[in-house]
Amino acid sequence: MGRVVDRWTPLTGVLSVACSVVGTLMVLSQPQDKDSNTAIVAYFADHSHRVRGIAGFFVFLAGILLLLVFLTALRERLLDREGGTGRLGALTFGAGVGAATLWVVSMLLANATMFAASEGKGFRVDPNTFRLLGDTAYYAWIAALAVGAVVVWATAAAALRTGVLPRWYGIAGVVAGVTMLFGLFYFPFFVWWIWLATTSILLVRRRPVVTAASAAVAM
């Protein structure tokens, strides 16, 4: 039973992508910086908009929780192949947790006006404060993407060094990590999601290798 769970747990990466995409799209429905003050105030005055924003946050949060499960499964696979201290596996997991934390902070900032408008009857939406929070949230997202590049590079290094994943995957991971450093240009966000889904599927297709160390632990 344990081996079955170990094999299919990496699919949480695909589920994480699905939740993250849906949650992000809900937040993107909010007004933009260039919108007028009147449009911004009117948007948050609409109850349906507030409900959708809060729902989107929790959907995104579910994606982050699934990401943590995926990172745990990825670390175990890398550790089984690396042996020793498992430095690449530890680096992958640590950087992944750091990126996940920044993404949650980003979403909290992006939805801060939504939360306040929903909870406080006396709250008045200030368009400039909304713009400030939105811009900060965006740069926190970019920072998360840069930290996520470390996850991609460490996994790529493990693939090239140990063969835990295909060699082409390792080479592509190096390129993907570099691309993720340019999050300011929007499209690298999709690179992370594509990498996560691809890694998830490849880990499921490649069954865990039972090493002597892991067999000893199981006994």
Side-chain angles (χ1 to χ4, degrees), residues 3-64:
R3 292 185 180 180
V4 174
V5 173
D6 289 342
R7 181 184 179 185
W8 293 102
T9 298
L11 277 182
T12 51
V14 174
L15 297 176
S16 175
V17 171
C19 290
S20 298
V21 170
V22 172
T24 301
L25 288 176
M26 288 182 172
V27 173
L28 289 178
S29 66
Q30 292 186 14
Q32 303 300 311
D33 286 358
K34 62 184 180 180
D35 291 333
S36 67
N37 292 348
T38 302
I40 292 174
V41 173
Y43 179 89
F44 291 102
D46 190 311
H47 177 72
S48 63
H49 290 165
R50 297 197 299 268
V51 171
R52 180 169 56 186
I54 294 174
F57 170 76
F58 283 105
V59 170
F60 186 88
L61 184 60
I64 293 297

Side-chain angles (χ1 to χ4, degrees), residues 135-162:
D135 289 344
T136 306
Y138 179 64
Y139 281 95
W141 188 284
I142 292 174
L145 199 63
V147 177
V150 178
V151 179
V152 177
W153 283 330
T155 308
L160 294 173
R161 180 180 299 179
T162 68

Side-chain angles (χ1 to χ4, degrees), residues 145 148-149 152-153 169-182 188 191-192 195:
L145 199 63
V152 177
W153 283 330
Y169 167 89
I171 297 173
V174 174
V175 178
V178 173
T179 304
M180 288 169 61
L181 297 179
F182 298 91
V191 174
W192 164 256
W195 176 87

Side-chain angles (χ1 to χ4, degrees), residues 41-121:
V41 173
Y43 179 89
F44 291 102
D46 190 311
H47 177 72
S48 63
H49 290 165
R50 297 197 299 268
V51 171
R52 180 169 56 186
I54 294 174
F57 170 76
F58 283 105
V59 170
F60 186 88
L61 184 60
I64 293 297
L65 296 177
L66 289 167
L67 174 61
L68 294 177
V69 176
F70 168 80
L71 290 170
T72 301
L74 177 59
R75 180 183 61 178
E76 290 178 355
R77 293 288 185 91
L78 298 184
L79 181 60
D80 284 343
R81 283 298 186 95
E82 277 189 275
T85 59
R87 292 180 181 178
L88 290 175
L91 178 59
T92 299
F93 185 76
V97 171
T101 302
L102 284 169
W103 268 310
V104 172
V105 170
S106 175
M107 290 297 285
L108 283 171
L109 291 170
N111 284 282
T113 303
M114 189 78 69
F115 296 146
S118 300
E119 296 296 331
K121 294 183 179 179

